[in-house]
PDB file of all heavy atoms in Angstrom:
ATOM      1  N   VAL A  10     -31.666  43.671   4.057  1.00  0.00           N
ATOM      2  CA  VAL A  10     -30.365  43.574   3.402  1.00  0.00           C
ATOM      3  C   VAL A  10     -29.344  44.212   4.323  1.00  0.00           C
ATOM      4  O   VAL A  10     -29.458  45.369   4.699  1.00  0.00           O
ATOM      5  CB  VAL A  10     -30.375  44.292   2.033  1.00  0.00           C
ATOM      6  CG1 VAL A  10     -29.002  44.252   1.407  1.00  0.00           C
ATOM      7  CG2 VAL A  10     -31.417  43.657   1.131  1.00  0.00           C
ATOM      8  N   PHE A  11     -28.343  43.441   4.724  1.00  0.00           N
ATOM      9  CA  PHE A  11     -27.298  43.929   5.612  1.00  0.00           C
ATOM     10  C   PHE A  11     -26.065  44.308   4.814  1.00  0.00           C
ATOM     11  O   PHE A  11     -25.601  43.562   3.972  1.00  0.00           O
ATOM     12  CB  PHE A  11     -26.917  42.853   6.641  1.00  0.00           C
ATOM     13  CG  PHE A  11     -27.986  42.590   7.644  1.00  0.00           C
ATOM     14  CD1 PHE A  11     -28.861  41.538   7.486  1.00  0.00           C
ATOM     15  CD2 PHE A  11     -28.135  43.419   8.744  1.00  0.00           C
ATOM     16  CE1 PHE A  11     -29.847  41.287   8.409  1.00  0.00           C
ATOM     17  CE2 PHE A  11     -29.127  43.186   9.676  1.00  0.00           C
ATOM     18  CZ  PHE A  11     -29.982  42.116   9.508  1.00  0.00           C
ATOM     19  N   ALA A  12     -25.507  45.479   5.075  1.00  0.00           N
ATOM     20  CA  ALA A  12     -24.274  45.909   4.417  1.00  0.00           C
ATOM     21  C   ALA A  12     -23.061  45.251   5.059  1.00  0.00           C
ATOM     22  O   ALA A  12     -22.080  44.962   4.397  1.00  0.00           O
ATOM     23  CB  ALA A  12     -24.147  47.421   4.478  1.00  0.00           C
ATOM     24  N   LEU A  13     -23.114  45.030   6.356  1.00  0.00           N
ATOM     25  CA  LEU A  13     -22.019  44.395   7.075  1.00  0.00           C
ATOM     26  C   LEU A  13     -22.539  43.149   7.771  1.00  0.00           C
ATOM     27  O   LEU A  13     -23.616  43.153   8.331  1.00  0.00           O
ATOM     28  CB  LEU A  13     -21.436  45.347   8.120  1.00  0.00           C
ATOM     29  CG  LEU A  13     -20.875  46.658   7.599  1.00  0.00           C
ATOM     30  CD1 LEU A  13     -20.497  47.554   8.762  1.00  0.00           C
ATOM     31  CD2 LEU A  13     -19.661  46.390   6.724  1.00  0.00           C
ATOM     32  N   CYS A  14     -21.757  42.098   7.741  1.00  0.00           N
ATOM     33  CA  CYS A  14     -22.144  40.860   8.395  1.00  0.00           C
ATOM     34  C   CYS A  14     -21.003  40.392   9.281  1.00  0.00           C
ATOM     35  O   CYS A  14     -19.841  40.632   8.989  1.00  0.00           O
ATOM     36  CB  CYS A  14     -22.437  39.767   7.369  1.00  0.00           C
ATOM     37  SG  CYS A  14     -23.843  40.141   6.320  1.00  0.00           S
ATOM     38  N   SER A  15     -21.318  39.740  10.365  1.00  0.00           N
ATOM     39  CA  SER A  15     -20.291  39.148  11.205  1.00  0.00           C
ATOM     40  C   SER A  15     -20.698  37.731  11.554  1.00  0.00           C
ATOM     41  O   SER A  15     -21.879  37.417  11.640  1.00  0.00           O
ATOM     42  CB  SER A  15     -20.091  39.962  12.476  1.00  0.00           C
ATOM     43  OG  SER A  15     -21.247  39.892  13.273  1.00  0.00           O
ATOM     44  N   ILE A  16     -19.713  36.877  11.733  1.00  0.00           N
ATOM     45  CA  ILE A  16     -19.969  35.497  12.075  1.00  0.00           C
ATOM     46  C   ILE A  16     -19.140  35.152  13.298  1.00  0.00           C
ATOM     47  O   ILE A  16     -17.945  35.387  13.341  1.00  0.00           O
ATOM     48  CB  ILE A  16     -19.591  34.557  10.916  1.00  0.00           C
ATOM     49  CG1 ILE A  16     -20.444  34.868   9.688  1.00  0.00           C
ATOM     50  CG2 ILE A  16     -19.726  33.105  11.327  1.00  0.00           C
ATOM     51  CD1 ILE A  16     -20.051  34.091   8.460  1.00  0.00           C
ATOM     52  N   ASN A  17     -19.783  34.621  14.312  1.00  0.00           N
ATOM     53  CA  ASN A  17     -19.095  34.146  15.501  1.00  0.00           C
ATOM     54  C   ASN A  17     -19.191  32.630  15.512  1.00  0.00           C
ATOM     55  O   ASN A  17     -20.273  32.081  15.402  1.00  0.00           O
ATOM     56  CB  ASN A  17     -19.746  34.697  16.773  1.00  0.00           C
ATOM     57  CG  ASN A  17     -19.636  36.194  16.843  1.00  0.00           C
ATOM     58  OD1 ASN A  17     -18.616  36.742  16.456  1.00  0.00           O
ATOM     59  ND2 ASN A  17     -20.669  36.853  17.314  1.00  0.00           N
ATOM     60  N   ALA A  18     -18.068  31.955  15.645  1.00  0.00           N
ATOM     61  CA  ALA A  18     -18.068  30.498  15.657  1.00  0.00           C
ATOM     62  C   ALA A  18     -17.305  30.003  16.873  1.00  0.00           C
ATOM     63  O   ALA A  18     -16.256  30.531  17.223  1.00  0.00           O
ATOM     64  CB  ALA A  18     -17.424  29.967  14.382  1.00  0.00           C
ATOM     65  N   ILE A  19     -17.841  28.993  17.513  1.00  0.00           N
ATOM     66  CA  ILE A  19     -17.202  28.373  18.664  1.00  0.00           C
ATOM     67  C   ILE A  19     -17.120  26.884  18.379  1.00  0.00           C
ATOM     68  O   ILE A  19     -18.142  26.239  18.127  1.00  0.00           O
ATOM     69  CB  ILE A  19     -18.004  28.624  19.954  1.00  0.00           C
ATOM     70  CG1 ILE A  19     -18.105  30.130  20.213  1.00  0.00           C
ATOM     71  CG2 ILE A  19     -17.382  27.903  21.125  1.00  0.00           C
ATOM     72  CD1 ILE A  19     -19.040  30.485  21.352  1.00  0.00           C
ATOM     73  N   GLY A  20     -15.920  26.326  18.381  1.00  0.00           N
ATOM     74  CA  GLY A  20     -15.742  24.905  18.110  1.00  0.00           C
ATOM     75  C   GLY A  20     -16.183  24.047  19.282  1.00  0.00           C
ATOM     76  O   GLY A  20     -15.967  24.389  20.429  1.00  0.00           O
ATOM     77  N   GLN A  21     -16.830  22.940  18.989  1.00  0.00           N
ATOM     78  CA  GLN A  21     -17.293  22.016  20.017  1.00  0.00           C
ATOM     79  C   GLN A  21     -17.178  20.593  19.497  1.00  0.00           C
ATOM     80  O   GLN A  21     -17.211  20.353  18.303  1.00  0.00           O
ATOM     81  CB  GLN A  21     -18.755  22.291  20.374  1.00  0.00           C
ATOM     82  CG  GLN A  21     -18.995  23.647  20.938  1.00  0.00           C
ATOM     83  CD  GLN A  21     -20.478  23.913  21.163  1.00  0.00           C
ATOM     84  OE1 GLN A  21     -21.322  23.139  20.751  1.00  0.00           O
ATOM     85  NE2 GLN A  21     -20.787  25.001  21.807  1.00  0.00           N
ATOM     86  N   GLU A  22     -17.094  19.634  20.410  1.00  0.00           N
ATOM     87  CA  GLU A  22     -17.132  18.236  20.036  1.00  0.00           C
ATOM     88  C   GLU A  22     -18.572  17.816  19.793  1.00  0.00           C
ATOM     89  O   GLU A  22     -19.504  18.475  20.234  1.00  0.00           O
ATOM     90  CB  GLU A  22     -16.530  17.389  21.148  1.00  0.00           C
ATOM     91  CG  GLU A  22     -15.057  17.626  21.361  1.00  0.00           C
ATOM     92  CD  GLU A  22     -14.507  16.738  22.459  1.00  0.00           C
ATOM     93  OE1 GLU A  22     -15.151  15.738  22.806  1.00  0.00           O
ATOM     94  OE2 GLU A  22     -13.429  17.069  22.959  1.00  0.00           O
ATOM     95  N   GLY A  23     -18.777  16.705  19.099  1.00  0.00           N
ATOM     96  CA  GLY A  23     -20.102  16.145  18.936  1.00  0.00           C
ATOM     97  C   GLY A  23     -20.849  16.580  17.690  1.00  0.00           C
ATOM     98  O   GLY A  23     -22.026  16.289  17.555  1.00  0.00           O
ATOM     99  N   TRP A  24     -20.203  17.265  16.756  1.00  0.00           N
ATOM    100  CA  TRP A  24     -20.877  17.688  15.532  1.00  0.00           C
ATOM    101  C   TRP A  24     -21.137  16.468  14.653  1.00  0.00           C
ATOM    102  O   TRP A  24     -20.338  15.551  14.580  1.00  0.00           O
ATOM    103  CB  TRP A  24     -20.029  18.696  14.770  1.00  0.00           C
ATOM    104  CG  TRP A  24     -19.982  20.027  15.430  1.00  0.00           C
ATOM    105  CD1 TRP A  24     -19.108  20.441  16.371  1.00  0.00           C
ATOM    106  CD2 TRP A  24     -20.865  21.119  15.215  1.00  0.00           C
ATOM    107  NE1 TRP A  24     -19.386  21.718  16.762  1.00  0.00           N
ATOM    108  CE2 TRP A  24     -20.449  22.165  16.069  1.00  0.00           C
ATOM    109  CE3 TRP A  24     -21.961  21.323  14.394  1.00  0.00           C
ATOM    110  CZ2 TRP A  24     -21.109  23.388  16.106  1.00  0.00           C
ATOM    111  CZ3 TRP A  24     -22.605  22.557  14.439  1.00  0.00           C
ATOM    112  CH2 TRP A  24     -22.170  23.561  15.291  1.00  0.00           C
ATOM    113  N   THR A  25     -22.263  16.451  13.951  1.00  0.00           N
ATOM    114  CA  THR A  25     -22.577  15.378  13.017  1.00  0.00           C
ATOM    115  C   THR A  25     -22.873  15.979  11.655  1.00  0.00           C
ATOM    116  O   THR A  25     -23.249  17.147  11.540  1.00  0.00           O
ATOM    117  CB  THR A  25     -23.806  14.567  13.482  1.00  0.00           C
ATOM    118  OG1 THR A  25     -24.927  15.453  13.594  1.00  0.00           O
ATOM    119  CG2 THR A  25     -23.558  13.902  14.818  1.00  0.00           C
ATOM    120  N   ASN A  26     -22.696  15.178  10.606  1.00  0.00           N
ATOM    121  CA  ASN A  26     -22.972  15.641   9.250  1.00  0.00           C
ATOM    122  C   ASN A  26     -24.463  15.677   8.981  1.00  0.00           C
ATOM    123  O   ASN A  26     -25.204  14.786   9.405  1.00  0.00           O
ATOM    124  CB  ASN A  26     -22.308  14.721   8.224  1.00  0.00           C
ATOM    125  CG  ASN A  26     -20.811  14.836   8.252  1.00  0.00           C
ATOM    126  OD1 ASN A  26     -20.270  15.900   8.524  1.00  0.00           O
ATOM    127  ND2 ASN A  26     -20.135  13.741   7.974  1.00  0.00           N
ATOM    128  N   LEU A  27     -24.896  16.709   8.266  1.00  0.00           N
ATOM    129  CA  LEU A  27     -26.289  16.813   7.843  1.00  0.00           C
ATOM    130  C   LEU A  27     -26.481  16.076   6.528  1.00  0.00           C
ATOM    131  O   LEU A  27     -25.531  15.885   5.777  1.00  0.00           O
ATOM    132  CB  LEU A  27     -26.650  18.281   7.597  1.00  0.00           C
ATOM    133  CG  LEU A  27     -26.897  19.149   8.805  1.00  0.00           C
ATOM    134  CD1 LEU A  27     -27.053  20.594   8.378  1.00  0.00           C
ATOM    135  CD2 LEU A  27     -28.124  18.707   9.544  1.00  0.00           C
ATOM    136  N   PRO A  28     -27.715  15.689   6.225  1.00  0.00           N
ATOM    137  CA  PRO A  28     -27.972  15.138   4.890  1.00  0.00           C
ATOM    138  C   PRO A  28     -27.555  16.153   3.828  1.00  0.00           C
ATOM    139  O   PRO A  28     -27.679  17.364   4.025  1.00  0.00           O
ATOM    140  CB  PRO A  28     -29.489  14.935   4.875  1.00  0.00           C
ATOM    141  CG  PRO A  28     -29.881  14.856   6.318  1.00  0.00           C
ATOM    142  CD  PRO A  28     -28.898  15.715   7.062  1.00  0.00           C
ATOM    143  N   THR A  29     -27.044  15.681   2.707  1.00  0.00           N
ATOM    144  CA  THR A  29     -26.528  16.547   1.649  1.00  0.00           C
ATOM    145  C   THR A  29     -27.541  17.591   1.200  1.00  0.00           C
ATOM    146  O   THR A  29     -27.180  18.708   0.875  1.00  0.00           O
ATOM    147  CB  THR A  29     -26.084  15.696   0.442  1.00  0.00           C
ATOM    148  OG1 THR A  29     -25.139  14.742   0.894  1.00  0.00           O
ATOM    149  CG2 THR A  29     -25.461  16.555  -0.634  1.00  0.00           C
ATOM    150  N   ALA A  30     -28.808  17.257   1.210  1.00  0.00           N
ATOM    151  CA  ALA A  30     -29.841  18.207   0.771  1.00  0.00           C
ATOM    152  C   ALA A  30     -29.823  19.487   1.590  1.00  0.00           C
ATOM    153  O   ALA A  30     -30.200  20.544   1.116  1.00  0.00           O
ATOM    154  CB  ALA A  30     -31.217  17.559   0.867  1.00  0.00           C
ATOM    155  N   TYR A  31     -29.372  19.423   2.840  1.00  0.00           N
ATOM    156  CA  TYR A  31     -29.334  20.588   3.706  1.00  0.00           C
ATOM    157  C   TYR A  31     -27.946  21.211   3.808  1.00  0.00           C
ATOM    158  O   TYR A  31     -27.793  22.414   3.837  1.00  0.00           O
ATOM    159  CB  TYR A  31     -29.780  20.218   5.131  1.00  0.00           C
ATOM    160  CG  TYR A  31     -31.198  19.734   5.243  1.00  0.00           C
ATOM    161  CD1 TYR A  31     -31.516  18.696   6.097  1.00  0.00           C
ATOM    162  CD2 TYR A  31     -32.226  20.309   4.509  1.00  0.00           C
ATOM    163  CE1 TYR A  31     -32.823  18.249   6.231  1.00  0.00           C
ATOM    164  CE2 TYR A  31     -33.525  19.862   4.640  1.00  0.00           C
ATOM    165  CZ  TYR A  31     -33.814  18.839   5.497  1.00  0.00           C
ATOM    166  OH  TYR A  31     -35.101  18.408   5.623  1.00  0.00           O
ATOM    167  N   SER A  32     -26.931  20.417   3.898  1.00  0.00           N
ATOM    168  CA  SER A  32     -25.610  20.906   4.298  1.00  0.00           C
ATOM    169  C   SER A  32     -24.971  21.873   3.315  1.00  0.00           C
ATOM    170  O   SER A  32     -24.226  22.751   3.712  1.00  0.00           O
ATOM    171  CB  SER A  32     -24.668  19.740   4.567  1.00  0.00           C
ATOM    172  OG  SER A  32     -24.484  18.980   3.389  1.00  0.00           O
ATOM    173  N   SER A  33     -25.245  21.745   2.023  1.00  0.00           N
ATOM    174  CA  SER A  33     -24.579  22.616   1.059  1.00  0.00           C
ATOM    175  C   SER A  33     -25.102  24.041   1.077  1.00  0.00           C
ATOM    176  O   SER A  33     -24.449  24.939   0.580  1.00  0.00           O
ATOM    177  CB  SER A  33     -24.705  22.036  -0.349  1.00  0.00           C
ATOM    178  OG  SER A  33     -26.071  22.003  -0.726  1.00  0.00           O
ATOM    179  N   GLY A  34     -26.263  24.280   1.667  1.00  0.00           N
ATOM    180  CA  GLY A  34     -26.834  25.618   1.632  1.00  0.00           C
ATOM    181  C   GLY A  34     -26.971  26.309   2.971  1.00  0.00           C
ATOM    182  O   GLY A  34     -27.604  27.350   3.065  1.00  0.00           O
ATOM    183  N   LEU A  35     -26.400  25.764   4.030  1.00  0.00           N
ATOM    184  CA  LEU A  35     -26.556  26.386   5.343  1.00  0.00           C
ATOM    185  C   LEU A  35     -25.758  27.675   5.467  1.00  0.00           C
ATOM    186  O   LEU A  35     -24.645  27.782   4.971  1.00  0.00           O
ATOM    187  CB  LEU A  35     -26.112  25.429   6.450  1.00  0.00           C
ATOM    188  CG  LEU A  35     -27.015  24.246   6.716  1.00  0.00           C
ATOM    189  CD1 LEU A  35     -26.461  23.431   7.873  1.00  0.00           C
ATOM    190  CD2 LEU A  35     -28.430  24.682   7.013  1.00  0.00           C
ATOM    191  N   ARG A  36     -26.338  28.650   6.142  1.00  0.00           N
ATOM    192  CA  ARG A  36     -25.660  29.923   6.388  1.00  0.00           C
ATOM    193  C   ARG A  36     -25.636  30.281   7.870  1.00  0.00           C
ATOM    194  O   ARG A  36     -24.832  31.078   8.298  1.00  0.00           O
ATOM    195  CB  ARG A  36     -26.349  31.055   5.609  1.00  0.00           C
ATOM    196  CG  ARG A  36     -26.233  30.912   4.115  1.00  0.00           C
ATOM    197  CD  ARG A  36     -24.773  31.027   3.703  1.00  0.00           C
ATOM    198  NE  ARG A  36     -24.603  30.880   2.284  1.00  0.00           N
ATOM    199  CZ  ARG A  36     -24.089  29.820   1.668  1.00  0.00           C
ATOM    200  NH1 ARG A  36     -23.710  28.769   2.382  1.00  0.00           N
ATOM    201  NH2 ARG A  36     -23.968  29.763   0.380  1.00  0.00           N
ATOM    202  N   ALA A  37     -26.534  29.698   8.695  1.00  0.00           N
ATOM    203  CA  ALA A  37     -26.571  30.029  10.124  1.00  0.00           C
ATOM    204  C   ALA A  37     -27.135  28.864  10.917  1.00  0.00           C
ATOM    205  O   ALA A  37     -27.996  28.140  10.442  1.00  0.00           O
ATOM    206  CB  ALA A  37     -27.428  31.272  10.348  1.00  0.00           C
ATOM    207  N   VAL A  38     -26.632  28.698  12.140  1.00  0.00           N
ATOM    208  CA  VAL A  38     -27.097  27.653  13.047  1.00  0.00           C
ATOM    209  C   VAL A  38     -27.268  28.266  14.426  1.00  0.00           C
ATOM    210  O   VAL A  38     -26.451  29.081  14.856  1.00  0.00           O
ATOM    211  CB  VAL A  38     -26.095  26.483  13.127  1.00  0.00           C
ATOM    212  CG1 VAL A  38     -26.555  25.430  14.119  1.00  0.00           C
ATOM    213  CG2 VAL A  38     -25.869  25.873  11.760  1.00  0.00           C
ATOM    214  N   TYR A  39     -28.333  27.870  15.130  1.00  0.00           N
ATOM    215  CA  TYR A  39     -28.566  28.361  16.486  1.00  0.00           C
ATOM    216  C   TYR A  39     -29.059  27.207  17.347  1.00  0.00           C
ATOM    217  O   TYR A  39     -30.062  26.567  17.018  1.00  0.00           O
ATOM    218  CB  TYR A  39     -29.608  29.482  16.485  1.00  0.00           C
ATOM    219  CG  TYR A  39     -29.696  30.198  17.801  1.00  0.00           C
ATOM    220  CD1 TYR A  39     -28.913  31.318  18.043  1.00  0.00           C
ATOM    221  CD2 TYR A  39     -30.545  29.753  18.807  1.00  0.00           C
ATOM    222  CE1 TYR A  39     -28.976  31.984  19.252  1.00  0.00           C
ATOM    223  CE2 TYR A  39     -30.608  30.408  20.021  1.00  0.00           C
ATOM    224  CZ  TYR A  39     -29.829  31.521  20.238  1.00  0.00           C
ATOM    225  OH  TYR A  39     -29.886  32.174  21.446  1.00  0.00           O
ATOM    226  N   ALA A  40     -28.369  26.925  18.439  1.00  0.00           N
ATOM    227  CA  ALA A  40     -28.773  25.864  19.361  1.00  0.00           C
ATOM    228  C   ALA A  40     -29.400  26.495  20.595  1.00  0.00           C
ATOM    229  O   ALA A  40     -28.761  27.274  21.298  1.00  0.00           O
ATOM    230  CB  ALA A  40     -27.574  25.016  19.752  1.00  0.00           C
ATOM    231  N   ILE A  41     -30.646  26.152  20.859  1.00  0.00           N
ATOM    232  CA  ILE A  41     -31.343  26.637  22.043  1.00  0.00           C
ATOM    233  C   ILE A  41     -30.816  25.906  23.271  1.00  0.00           C
ATOM    234  O   ILE A  41     -30.616  26.480  24.325  1.00  0.00           O
ATOM    235  CB  ILE A  41     -32.860  26.440  21.892  1.00  0.00           C
ATOM    236  CG1 ILE A  41     -33.363  27.251  20.699  1.00  0.00           C
ATOM    237  CG2 ILE A  41     -33.599  26.802  23.164  1.00  0.00           C
ATOM    238  CD1 ILE A  41     -34.760  26.920  20.272  1.00  0.00           C
ATOM    239  N   ASP A  42     -30.610  24.606  23.110  1.00  0.00           N
ATOM    240  CA  ASP A  42     -30.023  23.764  24.147  1.00  0.00           C
ATOM    241  C   ASP A  42     -29.363  22.584  23.434  1.00  0.00           C
ATOM    242  O   ASP A  42     -29.214  22.618  22.204  1.00  0.00           O
ATOM    243  CB  ASP A  42     -31.080  23.318  25.164  1.00  0.00           C
ATOM    244  CG  ASP A  42     -32.291  22.659  24.531  1.00  0.00           C
ATOM    245  OD1 ASP A  42     -32.127  21.859  23.577  1.00  0.00           O
ATOM    246  OD2 ASP A  42     -33.416  22.927  24.982  1.00  0.00           O
ATOM    247  N   SER A  43     -28.983  21.540  24.144  1.00  0.00           N
ATOM    248  CA  SER A  43     -28.261  20.439  23.513  1.00  0.00           C
ATOM    249  C   SER A  43     -29.129  19.602  22.565  1.00  0.00           C
ATOM    250  O   SER A  43     -28.601  18.852  21.755  1.00  0.00           O
ATOM    251  CB  SER A  43     -27.648  19.529  24.577  1.00  0.00           C
ATOM    252  OG  SER A  43     -28.676  18.931  25.362  1.00  0.00           O
ATOM    253  N   LEU A  44     -30.437  19.746  22.628  1.00  0.00           N
ATOM    254  CA  LEU A  44     -31.332  18.976  21.766  1.00  0.00           C
ATOM    255  C   LEU A  44     -31.969  19.798  20.659  1.00  0.00           C
ATOM    256  O   LEU A  44     -32.136  19.329  19.542  1.00  0.00           O
ATOM    257  CB  LEU A  44     -32.432  18.303  22.597  1.00  0.00           C
ATOM    258  CG  LEU A  44     -31.959  17.253  23.597  1.00  0.00           C
ATOM    259  CD1 LEU A  44     -33.137  16.737  24.417  1.00  0.00           C
ATOM    260  CD2 LEU A  44     -31.249  16.120  22.898  1.00  0.00           C
ATOM    261  N   ASN A  45     -32.378  21.027  20.949  1.00  0.00           N
ATOM    262  CA  ASN A  45     -33.100  21.870  19.991  1.00  0.00           C
ATOM    263  C   ASN A  45     -32.155  22.761  19.209  1.00  0.00           C
ATOM    264  O   ASN A  45     -31.563  23.693  19.763  1.00  0.00           O
ATOM    265  CB  ASN A  45     -34.137  22.726  20.722  1.00  0.00           C
ATOM    266  CG  ASN A  45     -35.276  21.884  21.227  1.00  0.00           C
ATOM    267  OD1 ASN A  45     -36.092  21.419  20.444  1.00  0.00           O
ATOM    268  ND2 ASN A  45     -35.318  21.656  22.530  1.00  0.00           N
ATOM    269  N   VAL A  46     -32.038  22.460  17.916  1.00  0.00           N
ATOM    270  CA  VAL A  46     -31.119  23.192  17.044  1.00  0.00           C
ATOM    271  C   VAL A  46     -31.892  23.658  15.819  1.00  0.00           C
ATOM    272  O   VAL A  46     -32.661  22.899  15.226  1.00  0.00           O
ATOM    273  CB  VAL A  46     -29.941  22.290  16.609  1.00  0.00           C
ATOM    274  CG1 VAL A  46     -28.951  23.080  15.763  1.00  0.00           C
ATOM    275  CG2 VAL A  46     -29.254  21.674  17.819  1.00  0.00           C
ATOM    276  N   TRP A  47     -31.673  24.911  15.450  1.00  0.00           N
ATOM    277  CA  TRP A  47     -32.289  25.497  14.259  1.00  0.00           C
ATOM    278  C   TRP A  47     -31.189  25.911  13.294  1.00  0.00           C
ATOM    279  O   TRP A  47     -30.104  26.312  13.711  1.00  0.00           O
ATOM    280  CB  TRP A  47     -33.104  26.735  14.628  1.00  0.00           C
ATOM    281  CG  TRP A  47     -34.339  26.437  15.420  1.00  0.00           C
ATOM    282  CD1 TRP A  47     -34.428  26.242  16.766  1.00  0.00           C
ATOM    283  CD2 TRP A  47     -35.660  26.302  14.913  1.00  0.00           C
ATOM    284  NE1 TRP A  47     -35.717  26.004  17.135  1.00  0.00           N
ATOM    285  CE2 TRP A  47     -36.501  26.031  16.009  1.00  0.00           C
ATOM    286  CE3 TRP A  47     -36.215  26.385  13.639  1.00  0.00           C
ATOM    287  CZ2 TRP A  47     -37.862  25.844  15.870  1.00  0.00           C
ATOM    288  CZ3 TRP A  47     -37.574  26.201  13.506  1.00  0.00           C
ATOM    289  CH2 TRP A  47     -38.383  25.936  14.608  1.00  0.00           C
ATOM    290  N   ALA A  48     -31.476  25.869  11.988  1.00  0.00           N
ATOM    291  CA  ALA A  48     -30.511  26.315  10.986  1.00  0.00           C
ATOM    292  C   ALA A  48     -31.270  26.962   9.834  1.00  0.00           C
ATOM    293  O   ALA A  48     -32.435  26.642   9.572  1.00  0.00           O
ATOM    294  CB  ALA A  48     -29.674  25.149  10.488  1.00  0.00           C
ATOM    295  N   SER A  49     -30.598  27.874   9.129  1.00  0.00           N
ATOM    296  CA  SER A  49     -31.203  28.536   7.975  1.00  0.00           C
ATOM    297  C   SER A  49     -30.169  28.639   6.865  1.00  0.00           C
ATOM    298  O   SER A  49     -28.972  28.504   7.101  1.00  0.00           O
ATOM    299  CB  SER A  49     -31.726  29.925   8.354  1.00  0.00           C
ATOM    300  OG  SER A  49     -30.664  30.765   8.767  1.00  0.00           O
ATOM    301  N   GLY A  50     -30.659  28.913   5.639  1.00  0.00           N
ATOM    302  CA  GLY A  50     -29.726  28.987   4.529  1.00  0.00           C
ATOM    303  C   GLY A  50     -30.352  29.387   3.216  1.00  0.00           C
ATOM    304  O   GLY A  50     -31.303  30.178   3.171  1.00  0.00           O
ATOM    305  N   LEU A  51     -29.816  28.810   2.139  1.00  0.00           N
ATOM    306  CA  LEU A  51     -30.202  29.158   0.778  1.00  0.00           C
ATOM    307  C   LEU A  51     -31.650  28.803   0.476  1.00  0.00           C
ATOM    308  O   LEU A  51     -32.201  27.868   1.065  1.00  0.00           O
ATOM    309  CB  LEU A  51     -29.298  28.426  -0.223  1.00  0.00           C
ATOM    310  CG  LEU A  51     -27.807  28.698  -0.131  1.00  0.00           C
ATOM    311  CD1 LEU A  51     -27.065  27.871  -1.170  1.00  0.00           C
ATOM    312  CD2 LEU A  51     -27.517  30.169  -0.309  1.00  0.00           C
ATOM    313  N   ASP A  52     -32.222  29.536  -0.456  1.00  0.00           N
ATOM    314  CA  ASP A  52     -33.564  29.261  -0.963  1.00  0.00           C
ATOM    315  C   ASP A  52     -34.632  29.174   0.131  1.00  0.00           C
ATOM    316  O   ASP A  52     -35.570  28.392   0.041  1.00  0.00           O
ATOM    317  CB  ASP A  52     -33.572  27.962  -1.780  1.00  0.00           C
ATOM    318  CG  ASP A  52     -32.624  28.022  -2.963  1.00  0.00           C
ATOM    319  OD1 ASP A  52     -32.495  29.106  -3.566  1.00  0.00           O
ATOM    320  OD2 ASP A  52     -32.008  26.993  -3.277  1.00  0.00           O
ATOM    321  N   GLY A  53     -34.476  29.967   1.188  1.00  0.00           N
ATOM    322  CA  GLY A  53     -35.463  30.007   2.254  1.00  0.00           C
ATOM    323  C   GLY A  53     -35.416  28.825   3.202  1.00  0.00           C
ATOM    324  O   GLY A  53     -36.360  28.571   3.927  1.00  0.00           O
ATOM    325  N   LEU A  54     -34.305  28.103   3.228  1.00  0.00           N
ATOM    326  CA  LEU A  54     -34.183  26.913   4.066  1.00  0.00           C
ATOM    327  C   LEU A  54     -34.222  27.254   5.552  1.00  0.00           C
ATOM    328  O   LEU A  54     -33.460  28.077   6.038  1.00  0.00           O
ATOM    329  CB  LEU A  54     -32.854  26.202   3.759  1.00  0.00           C
ATOM    330  CG  LEU A  54     -32.534  24.986   4.632  1.00  0.00           C
ATOM    331  CD1 LEU A  54     -33.500  23.846   4.317  1.00  0.00           C
ATOM    332  CD2 LEU A  54     -31.103  24.550   4.432  1.00  0.00           C
ATOM    333  N   ILE A  55     -35.144  26.626   6.274  1.00  0.00           N
ATOM    334  CA  ILE A  55     -35.160  26.638   7.739  1.00  0.00           C
ATOM    335  C   ILE A  55     -35.377  25.191   8.154  1.00  0.00           C
ATOM    336  O   ILE A  55     -36.340  24.547   7.718  1.00  0.00           O
ATOM    337  CB  ILE A  55     -36.283  27.517   8.325  1.00  0.00           C
ATOM    338  CG1 ILE A  55     -36.107  28.974   7.920  1.00  0.00           C
ATOM    339  CG2 ILE A  55     -36.302  27.389   9.853  1.00  0.00           C
ATOM    340  CD1 ILE A  55     -37.241  29.880   8.381  1.00  0.00           C
TER     341      ILE A  55
END
């Protein structure tokens, strides 16, 4: 449990919409490279 949280965001071209089942609950995204992307969110979503 974190008392303080910070979010760093960098805008880029090429973003696409996720299926609705995923997009409403996302809290974090991490791109290893241009192909491998991980995301996490609500209800244990990875």
Side-chain angles (χ1 to χ4, degrees):
V10 177
F11 291 97
L13 301 173
C14 296
S15 66
I16 298 174
N17 296 322
I19 300 172
Q21 298 175 351
E22 294 181 18
W24 288 88
T25 59
N26 291 327
L27 283 172
T29 304
Y31 297 141
S32 62
S33 64
L35 289 182
R36 294 295 179 253
V38 177
Y39 191 91
I41 298 168
D42 53 41
S43 63
L44 296 176
N45 289 288
V46 183
W47 291 83
S49 63
L51 301 179
D52 301 324
L54 176 69
I55 298 176

